[in-house]
Amino acid sequence: MPSDRNTTLDRLIGARSAKKFREQLGLDTAGDLLHHFPRRYLARGELTPIRELPLDEEVTLVAQVVSSSSRRMNTRKGSITEVLVSDRPGASSGPSTLSLTFFNGYSAQRQLTRGVVAMFSGRVTAYRGKLQLTNPIYELLDPDEFSPEAAARLAGRPIPVYPATGSIPSWTIEKAVGTVLGQIDLDSVPEALPPDLRLKYRLPGVADAFRMIHEPETDAAWRTAQKRFRYEEALVLQAALARRKAQHAALPSRPSPARKGGLLEAFDQNLPFELTAGQREVGELLAKELAENHPMNRLLQGEVGSGKTIVALRAMLQVVDDGGQAALLAPTEVLAAQHYASIRATLGPLVRDGLLGDADGVEVGLLTGSQSAGEKKRSLLAAASGQAGIVVGTHALLSEHVQFADLGLVVVDEQHRFGVEQRDALRAKSLATPHLLVMTATPIPRTVAMTVFGDLETSILRELPAGRSPIATHTVGLVENPSWERRIWQRAREEVDVGRQVYVVCPAIGLDDGDLEALDEATWGGTALAASTSVPDLRPISVVEVAEQLASEAALEGVQVGILHGRLDSEAKTAAMRSFASGETGVLVATTVVEVGVDVPNATLMVILDADRFGIAQLHQLRGRVGRGGHAGTCLLVTRLEPGHPSRERLAAVAASTDGFELAQKDLEFRREGDILGSSQSGRRSTLRLLRVLRDVDVIESARDDALGLVAEDPELKHHPELASAIDDYLDPEREVFLERG
């Protein structure tokens, strides 16, 4: 009997191989392996362009040996074999060559002789400005197939190149796929695409598509198969989001219509500034949606300082006016404390320890994990009794011990720090589904928003309120200008001398390399863009060593230097921020805990050390901490990388623009494929297979329209069970690998 897609790999390729595939690639079953698609294809007779190889990635390439030599090692036993390969027969140097180094590579010494053509697999690194592979796995090929003459006359099948690891090269995966294809009944694989959509886009059936993508006869075959699986992936994701959106829209909610003569009206009358046109427009929209009897689900995007918090606070006051409560969920204790203080200061005389809904004021509560037992007890009681109309907190709000009397609105700040499961845990604390307002200061390209936040309606605040000054950003390259390091601290002293404050941001806490704090953590569900992996000889600069250095820095003599990082206890963090905000501390050395929400209007200079270790979005967020009080802001992006290093392109992009949406698009272009929605494995599946949000805009838009149409006619997809099953299978409902990133 032929096997089906759920057959475990140990029954098909052997227990030993299956174990390696499971541990290193996250592949357990035949279906998992068949969905492990080739990343590209090589034409027989074609050598791989070496100049296009990506640095610090696992690659598979076909090249010809130019020269080979071996020598004994001086400091230890054994030998080194150095092999030079080329993508251009006859070339002996330049961008068309790649160096291979084998330690005790006796087989390589014997087999990789001049003229030999082989397929190599390994991680690309740079040494003394030249690309190299160290101890790559290789397989010899027929050199006749890769001669210039053969390129013209051979019409063989394309060679698939799979995403691989150091010990499971592409050709091993290709052989395993061939074994599985010979044993599985492809006709038993469910067809996720509705027939009318397959016909609409002229897509092959799933069985044919698997054969065409893994064993293509021609380039046209694998391109057609990729088109089918790319659209299927987009449709599954969009249908999942559309179904979730429809399910939320069908839930009962607590309507909170605007009331005359209440807190919101009093708040508006006391505002010392005019709302921007964007704030008014979004405010009117939120007011209308809060009055509906189905839950609002809205994403509010806005630049740092665009006034999102004021918009959210007005929405919270509308709910409080109607007798309900609002909760604001923040990702860190520093940010929660900042929101708490900011809301109380903004409300002014409207803050009181009074009763919920009292027109004279509203009580604002704070709940964090590090509060004392007495403080927590008071906050829990205020929330449960309804005494606190607005409750600000961290993950502590999600605890089962936290109860609300009548929760009407949940505001989530910095959404990329929280998953669907977390925000739903807070929403579950109410009998009726609370309204949801998600805020992010990281501008999101339209295609990303459409793919990641498809279950939310989106609003954007583009204008900055009056009084915000521009931020000048400069890249400071210490390799070409080592004397600038001293000038940085002189510049900091100049700011302090005129009564301003200075941030100094470091990527690490202590002297231990393991003390790195989160760098550009998954802004849209992506992975870090830190450059540390490509600069192994540069230990990340830390808060501890910089604070010690500045204490003895002549230019800062007499200036109080403070520190702030995630490992400090709550009291120490609060004291550090209080001292900085009051002007007592002139220079604050910190990690990325200052990235969001920290508001010190008197801070005008930010120095980001090892700036190349941060991504574009995080650099943009960080520099938004200065220039907030009417004084011009300056941000210095300090790097120890040499000019021309790829990571310096990101710094140049940030220095060249203050438009967050333009930078978000640049960020999307700089990221490696798959990073936006997460390329790491979780259980059996990676988040993305073929779909790329930058390249596949048209596919995503078409799939979104199709998914919305399907769900509008059939909200539970009862008439499309294969598509519903594909959603469950692909997304894994227990972990919601993809949607939790939304």
Side-chain angles (χ1 to χ4, degrees):
M1 291 290 291
S3 303
D4 64 24
R5 61 180 179 138
N6 295 316
T7 303
T8 56
L9 288 178
D10 56 357
R11 294 178 54 188
L12 301 173
I13 63 173
R16 184 176 178 182
S17 295
K19 182 181 179 183
K20 290 178 65 176
F21 274 63
R22 180 174 61 255
E23 293 176 350
Q24 298 185 36
L25 295 172
L27 307 176
D28 284 325
T29 67
D32 294 340
L33 181 57
L34 292 181
H35 278 100
H36 189 73
F37 298 133
R39 66 167 58 186
R40 60 192 174 92
Y41 296 83
L42 300 176
R44 296 186 189 277
E46 181 181 287
L47 300 180
T48 305
I50 288 174
R51 67 167 64 234
E52 297 176 10
L53 293 178
L55 190 66
D56 199 39
E57 286 191 24
E58 292 285 344
V59 301
T60 297
L61 71 149
V62 174
Q64 188 170 40
V65 176
V66 174
S67 63
S68 176
S69 63
S70 298
R71 57 182 172 81
R72 305 296 298 179
M73 287 187 280
N74 296 326
T75 57
R76 65 181 72 177
K77 291 183 178 181
S79 65
I80 294 178
T81 297
E82 295 177 334
V83 178
L84 189 69
V85 299
S86 174
D87 59 14
R88 198 173 69 232
S92 58
S93 63
S96 62
T97 60
L98 178 71
S99 175
L100 314 179
T101 302
F102 297 88
F103 293 95
N104 298 320
Y106 303 112
S107 295
Q109 180 180 349
R110 185 177 66 256
Q111 295 176 332
L112 298 178
T113 56
R114 181 179 176 84
V116 166
V117 174
M119 185 183 292
F120 302 94
S121 183
R123 181 173 292 273
V124 180
T125 58
Y127 180 65
R128 293 181 177 175
K130 297 182 179 180
L131 297 179
Q132 71 169 10
L133 299 181
T134 301
N135 286 331
I137 299 171
Y138 64 91
E139 182 171 282
L140 303 183
L141 300 174
D142 182 355
D144 291 338
E145 291 190 9
F146 293 89
S147 65
E149 297 77 15
R153 63 181 170 78
L154 282 178
R157 291 181 174 182
I159 304 172
V161 178
Y162 290 86
T165 69
S167 59
I168 308 181
S170 175
W171 53 84
T172 298
I173 299 172
E174 181 185 4
K175 290 176 181 176
V177 169
T179 299
V180 169
L181 285 174
Q183 299 182 64
I184 193 173
D185 178 12
L186 289 179
D187 293 327
S188 70
V189 177
E191 177 57 76
L193 298 184
D196 57 333
L197 292 180
R198 275 180 48 206
L199 184 62
K200 176 181 177 181
Y201 297 109
R202 299 181 180 179
L203 301 175
V206 65
D208 289 337
F210 274 130
R211 296 186 187 96
M212 293 161 71
I213 203 165
H214 289 296
E215 296 181 342
E217 296 283 348
T218 63
D219 283 347
W222 63 258
R223 293 183 195 280
T224 299
Q226 278 193 349
K227 179 182 177 183
R228 181 243 150 75
F229 285 119
R230 191 172 290 126
Y231 172 77
E232 178 183 331
E233 183 172 25
L235 183 70
V236 167
L237 296 177
Q238 295 299 334
L241 291 165
R243 188 175 66 173
R244 179 180 176 82
K245 186 176 183 179
Q247 289 168 345
H248 277 299
L251 294 171
S253 186
R254 182 197 190 287
S256 296
R259 305 285 183 185
K260 285 196 172 292
L263 287 166
L264 177 55
E265 192 172 293
F267 176 75
D268 286 345
Q269 290 172 353
N270 291 332
L271 271 179
F273 53 83
E274 286 285 327
L275 295 174
T276 66
Q279 287 175 316
R280 287 195 299 272
E281 182 181 342
V282 174
E284 291 170 3
L285 181 60
L286 296 185
K288 179 181 177 182
E289 292 184 338
L290 289 171
E292 300 286 349
N293 57 11
H294 57 266
M296 173 181 77
N297 284 284
R298 186 159 291 277
L299 170 68
L300 177 58
Q301 294 187 59
E303 288 277 15
V304 173
S306 61
K308 297 181 300 298
T309 305
I310 290 293
V311 171
L313 180 54
R314 293 183 72 252
M316 289 190 273
L317 291 177
Q318 178 171 326
V319 171
V320 172
D321 274 339
D322 192 54
Q325 292 170 285
L328 194 161
L329 182 61
T332 67
E333 291 200 356
V334 169
L335 183 52
Q338 284 278 333
H339 274 311
Y340 174 72
S342 174
I343 287 173
R344 290 179 62 89
T346 305
L347 287 172
L350 296 179
V351 174
R352 61 169 301 216
D353 296 330
L355 297 176
L356 181 66
D358 189 324
D360 293 330
V362 57
E363 180 173 337
V364 182
L366 176 66
L367 184 63
T368 64
S370 63
Q371 285 178 319
S372 67
E375 289 173 325
K376 281 184 183 175
K377 186 175 181 180
R378 284 191 293 274
S379 296
L380 290 170
L381 183 60
S385 66
Q387 181 179 328
I390 298 174
V391 181
V392 181
T394 58
H395 291 77
L397 284 178
L398 306 175
S399 166
E400 60 183 16
H401 303 297
V402 179
Q403 299 297 325
F404 290 85
D406 190 0
L407 184 59
L409 171 64
V410 173
V411 179
V412 180
D413 195 18
E414 293 309 315
Q415 164 64 18
H416 63 274
R417 306 292 185 92
F418 298 101
V420 166
E421 196 174 85
Q422 291 168 311
R423 78 189 191 200
D424 282 355
L426 186 52
R427 296 173 78 181
K429 295 180 181 293
S430 179
L431 293 176
T433 304
H435 299 286
L436 174 69
L437 177 63
V438 170
M439 300 192 300
T440 178
T442 305
I444 303 170
R446 179 173 158 273
T447 50
V448 177
M450 184 169 58
T451 304
V452 181
F453 299 103
D455 61 331
L456 304 177
E457 301 295 335
T458 302
S459 294
I460 298 175
L461 289 176
R462 292 188 179 273
E463 328 169 51
L464 294 182
R468 288 303 302 269
S469 298
I471 302 170
T473 304
H474 307 280
T475 299
V476 179
L478 297 182
V479 171
E480 63 268 39
N481 298 292
S483 64
W484 284 4
E485 182 172 6
R486 176 161 294 181
R487 175 61 187 140
I488 291 169
W489 309 126
Q490 293 171 346
R491 182 74 180 80
R493 181 58 185 253
E494 291 167 8
E495 292 298 311
V496 174
D497 284 348
V498 294
R500 310 284 179 241
Q501 266 78 40
V502 178
Y503 291 103
V504 178
V505 178
C506 307
I509 298 174
L511 298 176
D512 184 351
D513 283 347
D515 284 344
L516 283 170
E517 289 220 329
L519 301 178
D520 198 39
E521 180 179 348
T523 306
W524 304 300
T527 55
L529 284 175
S532 54
T533 52
S534 57
V535 280
D537 53 327
L538 295 179
R539 181 172 50 79
I541 291 174
S542 73
V543 168
V544 172
E545 61 186 328
V546 170
E548 290 177 355
Q549 174 193 341
L550 297 189
S552 58
E553 176 64 45
L556 294 174
E557 184 179 356
V559 176
Q560 182 165 319
V561 177
I563 64 171
L564 179 65
H565 56 72
R567 289 189 185 171
L568 295 177
D569 60 36
S570 182
E571 278 188 26
K573 289 177 187 173
T574 302
M577 281 309 304
R578 186 184 298 119
S579 176
F580 187 62
S582 69
E584 183 180 348
T585 296
V587 176
L588 182 66
V589 185
T591 56
T592 54
V593 293
V594 299
E595 177 187 350
V596 290
V598 175
D599 190 2
V600 179
N602 201 42
T604 51
L605 175 64
M606 173 169 285
V607 179
I608 305 178
L609 301 176
D610 279 354
D612 46 85
R613 293 179 181 270
F614 302 91
I616 286 178
Q618 195 165 35
L619 291 172
H620 184 57
Q621 284 268 30
L622 284 166
R623 71 175 169 186
R625 299 302 105 206
V626 296
R628 301 173 69 87
H631 306 291
T634 301
C635 178
L636 303 180
L637 307 176
V638 184
T639 177
R640 295 177 288 165
L641 295 183
E642 68 279 2
H645 190 286
S647 291
R648 287 193 56 163
E649 291 183 42
R650 297 200 308 275
L651 304 188
V654 174
S657 176
T658 56
D659 184 326
F661 286 90
E662 178 184 329
L663 288 174
Q665 188 67 26
K666 281 284 186 187
D667 200 11
L668 189 56
E669 293 168 6
F670 277 125
R671 288 169 183 261
R672 292 193 292 265
E673 285 196 339
D675 281 353
I676 295 300
L677 301 181
S679 60
S680 61
Q681 298 284 346
S682 178
R684 295 178 299 163
R685 306 168 180 86
S686 63
T687 306
L688 278 182
R689 291 167 181 151
L690 292 175
L691 195 67
R692 298 293 177 262
V693 294
L694 186 63
R695 179 194 62 201
D696 300 323
V697 178
D698 294 342
V699 177
I700 293 169
E701 288 186 338
S702 297
R704 180 166 173 74
D705 291 342
D706 295 335
L708 289 172
L710 289 172
V711 172
E713 294 178 1
D714 183 10
E716 297 299 323
L717 298 176
K718 292 180 179 178
H719 300 298
H720 301 282
E722 294 86 0
L723 177 58
S725 177
I727 292 173
D728 293 339
D729 182 57
Y730 185 69
L731 299 182
D732 192 338
E734 292 182 4
R735 292 185 294 271
E736 290 195 354
V737 174
F738 171 75
L739 288 183
E740 281 193 13
R741 296 196 181 274

